[in-house]
Amino acid sequence: MKWNKVLILAAILLLVAAVAVVAVVPLGVKNATWNKYFPVVKDVNLGLDLRGGVHVVLEAKDTPEAKVTPEAMRQLRAVIENRVNQFGVAEPVIQQQGERRLIVELAGIKDPEKAVNDLVKVAYLEFKTMDGKTILTGADLKDAREAKDATSGAVEVDLEFTPAGAKKFADATTANVNKQIAILLDGQVLQAPTVQEPILNGRARITGYRSLDEAHTIAILLRSGALPVKVDVEEKRAVGPALGADSLAKSKHAAVVGTVAILVFMLIYYRLPGLIANFALLVYALIVLFIYVGMHVTMTLPGIAGFLLSLGIAVDANVVIFERIKEELRAGKSIGAAIDAGFKRGFVAVFDSNATTVLAAIVLYYLGTGPIRGFAVTLIIGIAASMFTAITLTRWLLRLVAAANISKNPRVYGA
């Protein structure tokens, strides 16, 4: 037995075990700096079905100015999606129901009333001369950002117009020097500044906000544009996490039972390679967890299903390879040669099955919405991690075990 190889194996085991502990167990030291980073599991985002949120039904209404048409509904959905995304809501569900309704589900919203108001607010911007002539509208707007005046600290929304809007604004300010131009939002006059000189750079600003958050909301509404039709809120209700918590507890129980069964089976049936595969599965789970946190993946029940399915795929890859290794050992090859041949023969089958599953997940992502996309994302992440652990890590560890000369008996390797 080569003890230097054994020590390397032991060091790797201890390192991974330590990472696993700090990833899921609070370190318990009050006021410590690392408490905001560990355990990592606390940073996994949960979806609407697991932590609750708000469910809203919006219905488009006909008005003399704008009728509800399929095109208007597509525009309405695009505007709502833009607003939701800019508010930073994770994994929203926005889908059309019938000809006039939109279903919007937002996870983790602390103030449902404000969220709904922001969704359906019109935010129609106008610049008017004192005789009531409209100079510019929100259609001439290129960008809107909240900011603070560098001198006074006053909160404002900075506007940048399109080239056509900039020309209109330049012409209007040139023609109205020493006169007032009113800035209106949703028909309400926000400001009526006096033009001191022509403004030719296509920029303006709106002041008078009480907070940066208020200015941020207005800037988002202006950037996303006005709603194409009138919208009423038909239903608005908070969704509690009770059902999700119950489902999450059952999913955890099923995951623990299933994982323990897999670990026991791999250890009994494949013995030393099974032990290595179990260790690789632990590394696989840690990799997936850190990717979830790093990519701010929102975990829903379908997402958990995607993770568990990828876990099964990771085990299946090891089974395919280990069966090839057993065949090589029975053919009389040495441990090292059987491991190399087993991985070489098993790689094609593992790669083909994973590639087709990833393709199916990509199709699901692009054609699906909300939780379906979450399922596809967790499945793709899981398969990518399993390819690394099953093909690279497991192979390297098995070769290290063979080099350590722990045993030359093929039965120890499941043959």
Side-chain angles (χ1 to χ4, degrees):
M1 186 177 295
K2 296 181 180 179
W3 288 104
N4 60 332
K5 303 293 184 183
V6 174
L7 288 175
I8 293 174
L9 276 172
I12 294 172
L13 290 173
L14 289 174
L15 176 63
V16 172
V19 173
V21 169
V22 299
V24 299
V25 179
L27 299 181
V29 179
K30 290 184 178 179
N31 303 322
T33 304
W34 62 70
N35 281 348
K36 64 180 179 181
Y37 303 110
F38 300 106
V40 178
V41 289
K42 75 178 190 309
D43 295 324
V44 176
N45 297 321
L46 299 181
L48 179 71
D49 53 352
L50 298 181
R51 63 169 171 167
V54 61
H55 173 95
V56 184
V57 178
L58 304 176
E59 179 155 336
K61 301 287 186 181
D62 286 323
T63 60
E65 295 79 19
K67 302 294 183 185
V68 178
T69 64
E71 179 59 25
M73 289 302 295
R74 281 193 289 273
Q75 293 177 8
L76 175 63
R77 177 171 176 168
V79 172
I80 295 294
E81 284 181 345
N82 190 16
R83 290 183 178 182
V84 169
N85 292 335
Q86 295 198 46
F87 280 122
V89 178
E91 204 78 16
V93 175
I94 303 170
Q95 55 189 0
Q96 186 171 344
Q97 183 185 62
E99 296 180 351
R100 293 170 176 263
R101 285 191 168 188
L102 278 185
I103 308 296
V104 183
E105 293 182 340
L106 309 175
I109 294 296
K110 296 179 180 178
D111 189 348
E113 197 70 31
K114 180 179 183 303
V116 172
N117 289 338
D118 290 341
L119 281 179
V120 300
K121 199 168 182 178
V122 178
Y124 188 67
L125 179 71
E126 294 174 288
F127 283 68
K128 288 188 174 183
T129 59
M130 295 310 294
D131 58 0
K133 180 184 177 183
T134 300
I135 304 168
L136 296 161
T137 69
D140 298 307
L141 196 62
K142 179 180 179 182
D143 196 12
R145 299 283 170 186
E146 72 279 9
K148 280 190 175 181
D149 185 272
T151 305
S152 65
V155 178
E156 62 191 34
V157 174
D158 293 337
L159 307 177
E160 180 181 356
F161 298 113
T162 62
K167 184 177 185 310
K168 294 177 186 176
F169 196 56
D171 293 343
T173 51
T174 300
N176 290 277
V177 174
N178 297 325
K179 298 180 181 176
Q180 286 182 305
I181 289 181
I183 304 173
L184 296 87
L185 189 65
D186 295 340
Q188 301 294 318
V189 177
L190 296 177
Q191 279 185 283
T194 300
V195 178
Q196 303 295 331
E197 58 184 15
I199 301 174
L200 308 178
N201 62 358
R203 295 179 182 274
R205 62 179 180 174
I206 307 172
T207 59
Y209 299 103
R210 290 168 294 183
S211 67
L212 203 58
D213 284 343
E214 183 184 4
H216 176 67
T217 300
I218 295 298
I220 288 174
L221 293 172
L222 290 175
R223 287 201 300 270
S224 61
L227 301 181
V229 291
K230 183 176 183 294
V231 172
D232 287 346
V233 180
E234 292 294 312
E235 182 183 349
K236 176 183 60 182
R237 58 183 169 86
V239 179
L243 178 61
D246 182 57
S247 300
L248 182 61
K250 291 180 179 177
S251 299
K252 286 180 178 178
H253 180 71
V256 170
V257 172
T259 302
V260 170
I262 289 171
L263 297 179
V264 172
F265 170 78
M266 293 297 288
L267 189 60
I268 293 176
Y269 196 76
Y270 292 106
R271 298 162 195 174
L272 186 54
L275 179 63
I276 296 297
N278 290 344
F279 175 75
L281 283 178
L282 175 61
V283 176
Y284 157 82
L286 289 175
I287 291 174
V288 170
L289 173 62
F290 283 109
I291 292 176
Y292 286 172
V293 174
M295 293 181 61
H296 304 291
V297 172
T298 299
M299 187 57 70
T300 62
L301 285 177
I304 293 176
F307 167 71
L308 295 179
L309 180 57
S310 67
L311 181 66
I313 292 173
V315 176
D316 182 61
N318 283 322
V319 168
V320 170
I321 293 169
F322 292 168
E323 287 299 323
R324 302 293 187 276
I325 293 176
K326 287 167 64 178
E327 291 174 1
E328 299 296 335
L329 288 172
R330 288 169 187 150
K333 285 188 177 180
S334 65
I335 301 296
I339 292 172
D340 288 339
F343 274 93
K344 187 177 180 180
R345 291 179 56 198
F347 174 78
V348 175
V350 172
F351 181 82
D352 286 350
S353 63
N354 285 350
T356 52
T357 307
V358 168
L359 286 175
I362 291 173
V363 172
L364 275 178
Y365 180 83
Y366 280 102
L367 297 183
T369 60
I372 302 300
R373 283 190 163 191
F375 171 80
V377 168
T378 55
L379 185 57
I380 292 172
I381 292 173
I383 289 175
S386 74
M387 283 291 288
F388 168 73
T389 55
I391 302 298
T392 303
L393 180 63
T394 306
R395 181 177 186 173
W396 181 74
L397 288 173
L398 275 176
R399 294 187 69 174
L400 187 60
V401 168
N405 201 21
I406 294 175
S407 175
K408 292 184 179 180
N409 187 349
R411 291 181 178 277
V412 176
Y413 292 84

